[in-house]
Amino acid sequence: AQSVTQPDIHITVSEGASLELRCNYSYGATPYLFWYVQSPGQGLQLLLKYFSGDTLVQGIKGFEAEFKRSQSSFNLRKPSVHWSDAAEYFCAVGFSGTYKYIFGTGTRLKVLA
Amino acid sequence: DSGVTQTPKHLITATGQRVTLRCSPRSGDLSVYWYQQSLDQGLQFLIQYYNGEERAKGNILERFSAQQFPDLHSELNLSSLELGDSALYFCASSGQVGGELFFGEGSRLTVL
């Protein structure tokens, strides 16, 4: 069955520290991969996406993600976290030729000053 | 600004009542999605429409219904409301198969 797993429900990091949020998917082929961010009281905003090509994808706000086919993973990274990055992050998977999407359960990021 | 407009932003109503949430997708997007986000259940996919036709159904209750009109706006109707229906309801639109979703800011429903 198709699924998306974000194993970390909550993550706390200090401002200036590096960040990695994990995302694993289960699907027979290579899906389209997305990371969204939701600030409190806001809608979801796209951070970055992977469709094909270079497996290291750059996004907005200094985020990047790396697609690893062998691990069925699409982890989100940022070298230095800012207090404004505190939010909830969702990994999502889209499927070629369809309008179907599956979202992970989200990872809530807390940033310590 | 994602280009997706949702109204109302906030809604407070009583149990047993009926409400309608409205969504205008980004200009040109044919596909509209509805999601429910609550504290205990995360982001739940409800239903998807493409150019007026229902294409996919998720965890949508029978008390809920939706439609997409010829001008592509969509409405989500919630009836016989229960306390547990209190949540943030998001609409998203997409313009291409497998492309990114553009989310509205949501409609926060509180059922008292």
Side-chain angles (χ1 to χ4, degrees):
Chain A
Q2 300 153 348
S3 64
V4 177
T5 302
Q6 292 181 248
D8 304 305
I9 299 174
H10 298 278
I11 282 186
T12 301
V13 299
S14 297
E15 191 170 21
S18 64
L19 172 70
E20 183 169 28
L21 303 183
R22 296 181 291 165
C23 173
N24 293 93
Y25 66 90
S26 174
Y27 181 55
T30 299
Y32 301 141
L33 298 159
F34 308 86
W35 275 100
Y36 289 85
V37 61
Q38 183 183 23
S39 298
Q42 301 292 315
L44 279 72
Q45 179 186 20
L46 182 72
L47 282 175
L48 45 78
K49 60 188 176 187
Y50 172 80
F51 287 173
S52 64
D54 192 347
T55 56
L56 186 62
V57 180
Q58 301 297 319
I60 63 171
K61 305 185 181 188
F63 285 91
E64 66 178 26
E66 185 173 13
F67 168 57
K68 292 186 177 180
R69 186 190 309 274
S70 61
Q71 299 177 18
S72 297
S73 69
F74 189 56
N75 294 350
L76 182 70
R77 302 194 295 245
K78 187 170 185 178
S80 178
V81 170
H82 187 262
W83 64 265
S84 61
D85 293 324
E88 188 152 22
Y89 292 80
F90 292 91
C91 179
V93 167
F95 301 93
S96 175
T98 79
Y99 279 96
K100 179 178 179 179
Y101 298 85
I102 297 178
F103 280 80
T105 51
T107 297
R108 188 171 296 276
L109 174 65
K110 182 177 180 180
V111 180
L112 301 176
Chain B
D1 182 6
S2 68
V4 178
T5 304
Q6 289 188 248
T7 57
K9 292 193 186 309
H10 301 276
L11 191 56
I12 302 174
T13 188
T15 55
Q17 295 299 303
R18 173 189 171 94
V19 298
T20 296
L21 309 180
R22 182 188 169 101
C23 170
S24 294
R26 279 193 330 153
S27 178
D29 284 358
L30 299 179
S31 191
V32 168
Y33 299 75
W34 286 98
Y35 289 86
Q36 179 193 57
Q37 187 179 41
S38 57
L39 285 175
D40 57 345
Q41 295 203 5
L43 194 64
Q44 297 286 316
F45 168 64
L46 295 178
I47 197 163
Q48 181 229 340
Y49 282 83
Y50 178 83
N51 202 20
E53 294 187 4
E54 181 187 305
R55 285 294 179 91
K57 253 185 178 179
N59 301 323
I60 187 166
L61 299 172
E62 286 191 9
R63 300 183 286 107
F64 297 0
S65 65
Q67 59 185 121
Q68 186 180 28
F69 294 86
D71 67 352
L72 301 179
H73 92 271
S74 179
E75 293 181 356
L76 179 66
N77 301 296
L78 315 174
S79 62
S80 303
L81 286 168
E82 302 175 358
L83 296 178
D85 297 327
S86 295
L88 197 51
Y89 291 85
F90 285 109
C91 169
S93 74
S94 177
Q96 66 181 92
V97 174
E100 66 183 273
L101 292 178
F102 294 88
F103 282 83
E105 293 192 350
S107 293
R108 181 171 295 281
L109 172 66
T110 302
V111 182
L112 301 176

